Structure formats: C-alpha cells, structure tokens
Amino acid sequence: MLEHQSPMVSRDNWNSKEHLNADDNKKGKRPIEESNEEEENDGAKKMAKQSNEDYYYNLDLLIPAIGRDNSISSLIRCSRADYGRVACLNSSFHSLIKSGDIYKLRRQNGFVEHWIYFSCHLFEWEAFDPDRRRWMRLPTMDPNDCFIFADKESLAVGTELLVFGRGLISHMIYRYSLLTNVWTTGMVMNHPRCLFGSASLGEIAILAGGCDAYGNVLTSAEMYNSETGSWTMLPNMNKPRKMCSGIFMDGKFYVIGGIGGSDSKELLTCGEEYDLTTGIWTVIPNMSPVFIRATRENEAPPPTSEAPPLLAVVGNELYAADYADMVVRKYVKTSRDWITVGGLPERADSMLGWGLAFRGCGDRLVVIGGPRSAGVGFIEVNGWVPTNDGPPQWELLGSKRSASFVYNCAIMGC
C-alpha cells in the first residue's frame, strides 16, 4: 500500500514577525500583517485536515494510487483463498468481500474458481481447492438425529452450500455461507422434496422432481436465486421422476434418468430439457446412460437400489461414470447416443454407484472417492481435462486419510 504524505506547514515565518507592530499590539490593535499570517495559518490547517479526510475517504478507491476500477480488476484475479487476508487491509476491502459483491464481479468478468465440497461423515464437510491442492474443513453442522440419518441431497449455488434432508417433522435445509463461514437453517422451498435432480448456473439453481413428505413422486420444479434468497415455481415436467440427476448444458437445464412411471418403479431412460427463455420442457429419449446397461443385461439390479446417474458437464459436453463397467462415457448430442471414452480411476470404488462422486469442476472432470476397507481408508480426488487425444489420463490431485464413502458432494464456482 502506498502511504499518502500530508502537507506540512512551517511556522518559522510566523515566529519571525512577533516583534513587529509592538506599539499596535500594546494599543490592542491587530496588525494587518499578523492578521494575514493567522489566516494563512488557519488555511494551512484546513488544507492539512482536508487532505487527511480525502485520504481516508479515498480508501473507498481500495488502492488509492490506482483507483477503484483498477483495484477491483486486480482483486478479481486473486485467488479467493486469499480473500480472508485481503479483507483485513481496510474497511472497503472488507465490505467488498464480505458483502459478496466481489464474487458477482468475478462472475461477470469470467474469473471463477471451482472448489469441491464433500462429506464423508454424516455431519462434517470438507472443501478441496484443486488448483492449490489445499484441504479445508468447514464448521461442523449441528443437525438433529433424524436429519443425520435421512436421505440428503446437496447443491452449491453462488456462495452457498445447501444440504437438503428431513428433520423430525418436516423437510429441512442447512445453508453454509462462504461469506460468513456459518451454517444456518430456516430456508423453505415452495414444495419441500427429497431425491430430486438439481444443478446450478451462477447464482441460480433448479430443483426438479423428487418425492414429497408422503412419498408421492413429483413433476414440479422450482428455481432458487442465491442473491435474493427467493424460490420461484417453474412449469411442471412432462413426467414425474425421483432419484434423477440434473445438469446445466448450453444454458439449458436437464433432468435425466430416475424412477417414475405409473407405479413409481419404472427405470426412466429419457431426459427432459428446460429452456429458461421459453419456459418449456421437452422430452429427450435415451438421454440417460443407464439405458445401455438396462437393455443389455437381464439381471440388472432393481432400479431403487442404484444411485442416480453419475453425470458431469465440462465444456458443455455431457459425461457419465458407469460404475458397473468402470468406464467414462460421453453423450453425442447430434446422434443422441453414448460412446465410451476410457476408464475410471482404478481405486474409485462404489456400492452400486453410491459413495462415489463424479463432477465437472471448471475444465476438469473429477472423481472423488476411494477404495473400501475395513480399517482406516483414504479419500482421493482424481482429475482429467477432457481432450480428443485419447482415453482419460487421470491425475491424482489430492489424497488424505478419511472414510472413503462420499455421502454428498457439490462444486462451488465463484
């Protein structure tokens, strides 16, 4: 930070004229020369005071030497891992970061970092920065026993991490704020649900399908805006479905796979596309990767025993992790078909798809999980930047001793 030098005013000239006009002083008269010097003295003091006030006022410029716009342009290029220290520089930096305004500016200017948030314990969450290879522990949740052991979904949107589940008498949402580093409750959506498909795009998220408190499979969908904290109902889907997956691709929301049908036990192989501009849902056949295995295997496990499709989007391309064959598949939009691109990390273990996380994290596909073991296990984060140069070359981004079963996982990009 550059220090501002306040102007200093010498008093030598004031003292050198004290002996002038002595007679006038004795007569109680105020000499013109002394009057001018006092006015100059007062003026200099006011200038110094104004200069100091201007300096402190200019803290609103963040870094006064380069101005507010250039300060922000520099700040949005910094890693958000450093924002805690940056907020201590002055009140303007603190306000810009703690209000969340800096994250809005980052998003508007295309500077977004993606961190991985996951839970391998029922009420504990961790974060992993794949660029700095840094692990961080979030504050421990304080949920009731019913919430801990109930089915839960998670979603990161804007600067918030949302965890959905059931409390003692109703559905509950726990919200973690990156800005305050605190968990809170009390948020309620229009149609509380579980086992839904969801995805986020910037400050908005869409939740579709799932089950209500009575087990009814839903066609309803709603949008959450993290900047306003508001929930807005969307038009209903064409088909009810639960245990489905949601993604954003090409600016549109998709809900894929799941279980539905007249008896709520049918394995759905279609997807539905929601156009945010027109507000219309369109059914897309064979969009779920599970239809490949369902059509070729006569002894596939019951639909309700499998995890929802493990889907991820990178570069507006859709990928799926097939836990049964331990391969990665890619969706071809033109032919509406799936092709195999290569294998999953060897140590990525699961139980019918449960316990393994497969996500898009910036320009990477990431797999979070580890081998099952009776003793102390490991959690591993493997990443691959998709290319057209061959099968996946997975890079181990991070590993630590932990339970290896991933209960929930979300990617926060801000």
Side-chain angles (χ1 to χ4, degrees):
M1 297 291 290
L2 299 177
E3 294 187 0
H4 183 86
Q5 296 292 334
S6 299
M8 302 298 293
V9 180
S10 172
R11 298 181 58 88
D12 292 344
N13 291 333
W14 305 343
N15 294 331
S16 65
K17 295 186 179 181
E18 288 179 353
H19 64 283
L20 297 179
N21 302 314
D23 292 340
D24 289 336
N25 286 338
K26 292 179 181 179
K27 297 178 180 179
K29 295 182 179 179
R30 184 177 182 180
I32 296 177
E33 292 84 0
E34 185 177 350
S35 176
N36 289 339
E37 290 297 335
E38 290 179 355
E39 290 178 0
E40 291 177 3
N41 184 15
D42 292 341
K45 290 181 180 179
K46 290 179 180 179
M47 288 175 61
K49 180 180 179 182
Q50 184 63 45
S51 178
N52 287 330
E53 289 177 351
D54 287 345
Y55 170 63
Y56 288 107
Y57 172 77
N58 283 339
L59 288 179
D60 288 339
L61 300 178
L62 302 177
I63 305 176
I66 63 175
R68 185 177 182 84
D69 289 345
N70 288 331
S71 300
I72 291 176
S73 181
S74 300
L75 187 58
I76 62 177
R77 288 168 169 80
C78 295
S79 171
R80 63 185 177 99
D82 297 325
Y83 281 178
R85 289 185 288 270
V86 171
C88 297
L89 293 177
N90 62 39
S91 60
S92 294
F93 276 119
H94 185 274
S95 175
L96 183 65
I97 292 171
K98 293 302 181 181
S99 68
D101 290 343
I102 189 63
Y103 296 103
K104 298 176 188 178
L105 295 169
R106 283 167 64 91
R107 187 165 59 245
Q108 292 169 6
N109 289 273
F111 293 97
V112 176
E113 289 176 78
H114 296 85
W115 288 6
I116 304 165
Y117 291 77
F118 64 95
S119 173
C120 292
H121 299 277
L122 293 175
F123 53 91
E124 295 180 3
W125 280 80
E126 294 187 73
F128 180 70
D129 177 355
D131 293 323
R132 295 194 173 191
R133 313 292 173 92
R134 179 185 175 203
W135 300 90
M136 294 153 281
R137 186 178 295 276
L138 273 61
T140 301
M141 301 173 67
D142 187 25
N144 56 57
D145 290 341
C146 183
F147 186 90
I148 290 176
F149 295 105
D151 290 323
K152 291 183 286 294
E153 284 76 40
S154 61
L155 172 69
V157 51
T159 56
E160 298 176 352
L161 171 65
L162 309 182
V163 183
F164 303 80
R166 282 192 60 86
L168 294 174
I169 58 176
S170 63
H171 289 90
M172 293 184 65
I173 304 174
Y174 277 77
R175 173 170 55 180
Y176 168 79
S177 171
L178 178 67
L179 307 180
T180 62
N181 194 37
V182 170
W183 289 98
T184 58
T185 59
M187 178 191 295
V188 179
M189 66 177 84
N190 291 302
H191 287 179
R193 65 191 72 205
C194 62
L195 303 177
F196 50 81
S198 66
S200 63
L201 181 66
E203 75 280 9
I204 67 167
I206 294 180
L207 292 72
C211 293
D212 64 14
Y214 304 99
N216 299 313
V217 183
L218 305 174
T219 60
S220 63
E222 48 191 305
M223 178 186 295
Y224 172 65
N225 187 311
S226 63
E227 292 186 356
T228 62
S230 60
W231 294 88
T232 304
M233 293 303 301
L234 301 178
N236 285 352
M237 298 183 295
N238 294 282
K239 295 178 177 291
R241 62 181 78 210
K242 66 178 181 178
M243 298 181 68
C244 45
S245 296
I247 61 163
F248 269 99
M249 183 169 61
D250 298 320
K252 299 177 181 179
F253 174 77
Y254 294 82
V255 59
I256 300 171
I259 299 171
S262 57
D263 58 358
S264 299
K265 296 181 180 179
E266 177 187 348
L267 183 64
L268 300 176
T269 61
C270 64
E272 291 198 42
E273 171 194 275
Y274 180 70
D275 190 318
L276 279 74
T277 303
T278 63
I280 295 176
W281 289 95
T282 303
V283 176
I284 302 177
N286 294 336
M287 197 175 184
S288 175
V290 300
F291 88 93
I292 300 174
R293 188 167 65 257
T295 56
R296 73 168 186 262
E297 295 182 3
N298 294 325
E299 298 181 358
T304 54
S305 65
E306 289 190 273
L310 302 175
L311 303 177
V313 173
V314 170
N316 278 319
E317 298 291 344
L318 175 60
Y319 297 85
D322 187 333
Y323 75 87
D325 292 339
M326 288 295 289
V327 297
V328 178
R329 304 189 193 278
K330 179 180 179 180
Y331 182 68
V332 182
K333 301 174 187 176
T334 53
S335 61
R336 293 183 175 177
D337 195 8
W338 289 89
I339 60 173
T340 300
V341 296
L344 287 167
E346 293 182 1
R347 291 163 62 89
D349 207 349
S350 73
M351 300 174 60
L352 296 178
W354 301 105
L356 181 69
F358 180 72
R359 298 286 188 272
C361 183
D363 62 351
R364 296 185 182 101
L365 287 173
V366 292
V367 176
I368 305 98
R372 280 179 290 171
S373 61
V376 177
F378 286 84
I379 192 72
E380 296 180 347
V381 180
N382 285 276
W384 169 57
V385 179
T387 65
N388 296 321
D389 299 333
Q393 301 295 320
W394 295 100
E395 178 186 6
L396 181 61
L397 303 176
S399 175
K400 64 176 296 188
R401 297 185 68 173
S402 168
S404 58
F405 191 94
V406 181
Y407 288 99
N408 292 100
C409 180
I411 305 296
M412 184 184 294
C414 59

